[in-house]
Amino acid sequence: MDGALAGEIERLGAMLRQGGVVAYPTETFYGLGALARNGAALDRLARAKGRPEGKPLPLVAADLAMVLGVARLDAVARRLAERFWPGPLTLVLPALPGLPTQITGGTETVGIRIPGSEVARELCRAAGGPIVSTSANVSGGAPPSSAKELDAALVAGIDGVLDAGPTPGGLPSTVVSVDGGRLSLLREGAIPFGRIERAARLAPGGPLG
């Protein structure tokens, strides 16, 4: 990673720490981010995107320690994290107390992953915590794969854009709920569910073993 990009990550991370909303690249498309525990920033993000109220917001984190600050992982979830993170697997896990309802949608769960994008992980580190990872488009629009594809109205409603060049697009993350060692597929994506089930069987005490 070159120095100019590292400097931009630090600058945008400071924006997030101050309650800002930014667009940034993930391993597929550009996403919208705000710190997970900043309710006012989450409200601003939802307004910029035109996102329906009550729909949970997924998160990305820099590392497992950051994940453990917002969610509980049982043996099966830890096995999947070891096998597929960093990468396109979102685990829906029991949330720790105190997360804003914009994140959980009132479900007492949180969807989170450690993304394959080094830029996204470093932005989380610069921000000091997990950040939202919802596609950087007005609700109903196509997800952008470059900063220049961002909707002008959306950009006007946020605080900054981390332009790290084009992203490859492709399938979104696979979303799997893990609770009490039980798996439920919520969205098929880049990782086939069969691979996830096979990995879960290897977890100590896993329900499939």
Side-chain angles (χ1 to χ4, degrees):
M1 184 181 297
D2 64 41
L5 179 56
E8 277 295 279
I9 289 171
E10 287 300 321
R11 185 175 73 85
L12 273 290
M15 285 185 185
L16 290 166
R17 293 195 305 273
Q18 294 161 10
V21 178
V22 306
Y24 65 96
T26 72
E27 65 267 60
T28 51
F29 296 96
Y30 271 68
L32 277 185
L35 271 175
R37 292 190 179 275
N38 190 315
L42 298 174
D43 286 341
R44 290 185 56 227
L45 182 150
R47 286 196 299 271
K49 187 176 171 67
R51 186 180 175 89
E53 290 186 11
K55 189 176 181 182
L57 287 164
L59 302 177
V60 291
D63 50 38
L64 188 59
M66 202 174 275
V67 174
L68 291 170
V70 296
R72 292 193 298 273
L73 281 74
D74 61 21
V76 171
R78 284 179 179 271
R79 174 64 186 175
L80 297 178
E82 290 169 0
R83 173 66 182 82
F84 296 108
W85 286 351
L89 173 64
T90 296
L91 296 179
V92 178
L93 304 166
L96 293 183
L99 277 182
T101 55
Q102 299 98 316
I103 296 297
T104 65
T107 64
E108 299 185 353
T109 63
V110 57
I112 193 164
R113 76 183 192 278
I114 298 175
S117 165
E118 180 187 6
V119 171
R121 295 195 304 271
E122 289 302 316
L123 183 61
C124 291
R125 287 194 180 92
I131 63 176
V132 171
S133 181
T134 184
S135 58
N137 55 277
V138 176
S139 287
S145 58
S146 67
K148 67 182 180 182
E149 293 177 7
L150 291 165
D151 183 277
L154 182 143
V155 172
I158 65 176
D159 301 294
V161 176
L162 178 55
D163 186 352
T167 57
L171 292 174
S173 66
T174 300
V175 182
V176 174
S177 171
V178 186
D179 192 3
R182 300 289 170 183
L183 305 185
S184 299
L185 177 65
L186 302 181
R187 182 181 72 192
E188 188 81 56
I191 302 173
F193 187 51
R195 284 183 59 200
I196 296 165
E197 288 182 306
R198 288 192 293 275
R201 291 190 184 98
L202 302 176
L208 306 176

